[in-house]
Amino acid sequence: MYQVIARKFRPQRFEDVIGQGHVTEILKNAIDMDRLPHAFIFSGPRGVGKTSVARILAKAINCEKGLASTPCNACRVCEDITASRAVDVFEIDAASHTGVDNIRDLIENSRYAPSTARFKTFIIDEVHMLSRNAFNALLKTLEEPPEHVIFIMATTELAKVPVTVLSRCQRYDFRRIPVEEIIAHLTSIASRENIRINPDALMIIALQADGGMRDAQGMLEHVAATGAEFIDVETVDNMLGMVGRATMHDLLSSVLSKDVPAVLDVISRVYQYGQDLGQLYRSLMESMRNMMVLKAGYTNLALPQEEKSFLLEAIRDVAFEELHRILSVLIHSEEDLKYTSVPKVTLETILLRIVAAPDLSDMQKLIQALSGKQVPAQARQTVQIPAAEKVKKPLSTLPHSWEGFVAFLKDHDHPLYAMLTSTNRMSEEEDAVVLACQSSFIAEQIKKALPEINKKAFTFFQKDFRIQIEIIDSQDQNAKRQRPSEVRAQVMKSPVVKEIVAEFNGVVKDVKPNE
Ligand SMILES: Nc1ncnc2c1ncn2[C@@H]1O[C@H](COP(=O)(O)OP(=O)(O)OP(=O)(O)O)[C@@H](O)[C@H]1O
Ligand SMILES: [Mg+2]
Ligand SMILES: [Zn+2]
């Protein structure tokens, strides 16, 4: 099915190849000046035109009308190459012919002059898949190629091709095709194929194709096959298994406004509908990235206009640093989501860490918090992030304290680490710690994870460790239960306080619990 558009619209002249002008111009010159090397290598991502250009090149050098940068596409040789049945043009898929025997056959064959074409032309696709012996055999021929032989090799993984081979080839690097050019091409295909599609929907396809024309065409074909009279954004979202735009917007808004129930609600909804949480996460990263870039003042983003308006509106009152912080957490936590057996819990934990954390971009709030003024609870939590944040040390050098353990978790179990940084340590003994947690949700998660935490604690402390969790309603109660000396000790340990003291070259005179 999807072959149809891809094949029907395979470029047949260099001029028809989109987005690879830097390659086709040089090739055309080389042909017109009759300066042909015996071996070419085309590298680049999947579906950007390597095989297509290899075939055009084969035609250009073998066309019966004469060697010309524009093959006639009508003579016997041209037609045979288009139909993959030319007797002197061999297409070998190295992925399924990796062995040295295949290459020996090819080399044997290359000795004989071509029967109808000008050159014996070997197109070797996915050449990086050849075995070492196969490469060695090929190398001998590349070193002294017969006059009538031309090799055109293509690969998606240039780094796997031995340098000895590369140094015998003229190299051409194909690029990802720019989104605008993909959109323009799809638009013209859609009109020729009578596919009616919303421009935003087309743009979503082009973005998703990530520079590959084949993928873009495949997706267009796929949505067209749904038989819809008119293809809208929703049809495309569904086809891509993407979380709908409305849902994505809900999630973005609730994350930026730090609305915990709303965040949990969106996750549940997506989960309930059986949609892929990994996909949700990738879309979230993509959107956060776009927001950050917009905030930095770069508005030339290839995005549907409505989407751009939404993002601009959403970030109006959000600082760049905050967007940057959120994206950093998302990037660093992606692994956690990949390897977890409980994706929903992990996603909730990651997002709650983002949402519950203080807005570091607002120094004013921190200073107020430290001077004991009345500020929102969120900002107050700042001073209680365990001092382990920046520690990345081998096990042996970490202090055998609760902070040491938390630092240890940062490297050994990031989800647990994330959970524990949302708690306050109430008291610590040799082998026990009492943690206070403001959110019953996080307390639940930690309780569920206790066996795992205990296991990790045993590894770290080399003895059993008791962990007790309390849920407290507010920060204030927490403060009252602590002795002033404890509060002071805790505040002084906070990396934020240290940073501020250093920044302003100050001293902490007094630490008062909030009334
Ligand atoms: N640059 C391009 N311009 C126009 N169409 C393209 C281009 N690249 C790919 N296509 C479309 O995608 C189809 C597949 O492209 P092609 O086989 O040339 O890609 P490729 O780079 O060889 O991919 P692979 O690495 O997967 O072999 C073509 O038939 C054509 O329809
Ligand atoms: Mg190919
Ligand atoms: Zn021809």
Side-chain angles (χ1 to χ4, degrees):
M1 188 69 207
Y2 119 51
Q3 287 290 354
V4 183
I5 284 186
R7 206 180 290 160
K8 191 163 170 185
F9 292 90
R10 190 188 275 286
Q12 303 296 346
R13 299 176 313 156
F14 286 124
E15 291 75 21
D16 302 335
V17 179
I18 293 162
Q20 312 295 356
H22 62 293
V23 167
T24 52
E25 284 309 310
I26 300 176
L27 284 176
K28 277 157 68 179
N29 277 335
I31 296 162
D32 286 336
M33 290 162 50
D34 201 359
R35 285 222 187 119
L36 293 171
H38 281 282
F40 298 84
I41 187 155
F42 296 167
S43 74
R46 302 183 52 80
V48 297
K50 298 182 298 295
T51 303
S52 305
V53 171
R55 293 218 184 133
I56 299 170
L57 177 59
K59 283 191 271 197
I61 60 180
N62 289 309
C63 178
E64 285 175 5
K65 297 279 158 60
L67 194 93
S69 58
T70 309
C72 79
N73 270 318
C75 69
R76 165 97 183 277
V77 172
C78 280
E79 279 189 341
D80 283 354
I81 293 175
T82 304
S84 300
R85 56 164 189 249
V87 285
D88 297 312
V89 178
F90 304 85
E91 279 195 43
I92 300 115
D93 179 11
S96 48
H97 300 89
T98 54
V100 64
D101 292 343
N102 301 117
I103 291 299
R104 287 221 179 93
D105 287 349
L106 180 155
I107 290 163
E108 183 61 28
N109 183 339
S110 73
R111 297 224 173 98
Y112 308 100
S115 53
T116 56
R118 202 166 293 116
F119 298 97
K120 270 230 158 126
T121 311
F122 297 92
I123 300 176
I124 310 179
D125 234 325
E126 299 300 332
V127 68
H128 63 272
M129 299 289 281
L130 291 181
S131 67
R132 245 183 67 182
N133 286 341
F135 267 127
N136 285 336
L138 183 63
L139 194 58
K140 290 212 187 82
T141 309
L142 289 179
E143 276 163 355
E144 284 171 57
E147 251 329 286
H148 59 266
V149 168
I150 288 195
F151 289 97
I152 308 171
M153 293 171 260
T155 178
T156 46
E157 295 182 58
L158 194 67
K160 290 191 183 159
V161 180
V163 271
T164 44
V165 170
L166 284 183
S167 66
R168 307 272 159 200
C169 300
Q170 210 169 74
R171 201 179 121 184
Y172 293 85
D173 297 334
F174 286 59
R175 298 184 183 150
R176 290 205 160 76
I177 303 166
V179 188
E180 307 80 52
E181 296 185 46
I182 294 185
I183 292 172
H185 193 49
L186 291 189
T187 306
S188 106
I189 292 176
S191 97
R192 278 188 274 175
E193 295 289 295
N194 288 320
I195 299 170
R196 294 182 56 229
I197 180 166
N198 169 304
D200 280 356
L202 201 76
M203 185 178 244
I204 293 168
I205 290 178
L207 286 169
Q208 184 74 12
D210 198 22
M213 190 65 88
R214 180 182 329 101
D215 280 0
Q217 292 174 351
M219 285 185 262
L220 178 64
E221 182 123 41
H222 198 114
V223 282
T226 58
E229 174 74 359
F230 181 76
I231 300 159
D232 55 13
V233 170
E234 210 185 325
T235 318
V236 171
D237 279 346
N238 282 341
M239 180 236 351
L240 296 173
M242 291 218 303
V243 177
R245 234 130 280 270
T247 308
M248 196 60 221
H249 288 175
D250 283 353
L251 182 60
L252 290 169
S253 304
S254 49
V255 167
L256 290 182
S257 62
K258 301 187 184 292
D259 184 341
V260 173
V263 169
L264 295 177
D265 188 53
V266 177
I267 298 174
S268 292
R269 232 157 62 206
V270 171
Y271 188 70
Q272 216 94 63
Y273 281 108
Q275 280 162 321
D276 182 11
L277 293 181
Q279 176 78 51
L280 175 75
Y281 198 79
R282 281 188 294 278
S283 301
L284 179 62
M285 286 211 277
E286 190 75 30
S287 296
M288 288 306 311
R289 177 264 177 196
N290 288 337
M291 286 180 166
M292 189 183 76
V293 169
L294 283 171
K295 194 77 196 183
Y298 183 84
T299 50
N300 192 17
L301 285 179
L303 281 180
Q305 191 49 48
E306 264 176 65
E307 181 74 6
K308 210 193 258 183
S309 310
F310 170 83
L311 296 180
L312 279 170
E313 175 63 26
I315 58 173
R316 218 181 37 200
D317 299 324
V318 185
F320 174 84
E321 289 76 13
E322 175 66 355
L323 298 170
H324 185 272
R325 179 188 72 85
I326 296 176
L327 188 57
S328 301
V329 176
L330 288 175
I331 290 171
H332 286 115
S333 310
E334 196 187 1
E335 289 265 290
D336 299 344
L337 199 58
K338 218 173 268 172
Y339 298 113
T340 180
S341 58
V342 280
K344 183 163 177 274
V345 174
T346 308
L347 181 60
E348 285 168 338
T349 309
I350 297 169
L351 291 188
L352 284 199
R353 175 155 160 70
I354 287 173
V355 171
D359 189 337
L360 288 178
S361 59
D362 199 341
M363 277 296 265
Q364 203 53 41
K365 272 191 210 157
L366 293 179
I367 296 164
Q368 279 184 351
L370 293 167
S371 60
K373 285 197 199 112
Q374 213 48 44
V375 289
Q378 254 176 13
R380 252 180 276 142
Q381 292 174 358
T382 312
V383 296
Q384 274 138 357
I385 296 172
E389 284 283 1
K390 283 184 179 162
V391 185
K392 186 164 187 169
K393 290 180 187 163
L395 175 52
S396 56
T397 67
L398 289 169
H400 269 211
S401 62
W402 181 248
E403 277 93 341
F405 177 54
V406 175
F408 166 77
L409 282 184
K410 187 173 185 187
D411 290 333
H412 292 81
D413 195 325
H414 210 275
L416 287 187
Y417 167 77
M419 280 184 208
L420 292 181
T421 52
S422 314
T423 64
N424 300 318
R425 195 193 48 218
M426 300 285 285
S427 71
E428 186 181 358
E429 292 161 31
E430 252 250 272
D431 57 359
V433 63
V434 178
L435 298 176
C437 196
Q438 272 187 291
S439 143
S440 56
F441 171 80
I442 291 181
E444 267 315 309
Q445 301 305 322
I446 295 178
K447 276 180 191 153
K448 274 191 216 159
L450 267 183
E452 194 50 36
I453 299 177
N454 282 328
K455 238 167 54 194
K456 289 274 176 356
F458 187 79
T459 314
F460 182 78
F461 294 106
Q462 295 293 308
K463 63 183 174 201
D464 276 299
F465 204 84
R466 275 181 301 119
I467 296 163
Q468 198 186 322
I469 298 169
E470 283 180 38
I471 303 171
I472 52 166
D473 303 320
S474 77
Q475 200 73 27
D476 298 349
Q477 276 183 17
N478 172 29
K480 275 185 202 140
R481 293 178 60 167
Q482 286 179 303
R483 272 176 282 131
S485 61
E486 277 179 352
V487 176
R488 182 181 173 91
Q490 195 169 15
V491 168
M492 295 307 292
K493 263 189 265 171
S494 154
V496 179
V497 175
K498 283 184 190 160
E499 220 165 272
I500 291 177
V501 167
E503 180 72 23
F504 297 104
N505 197 15
V507 274
V508 177
K509 278 186 164 171
D510 197 2
V511 178
K512 274 186 268 178
N514 285 301
E515 297 308 326

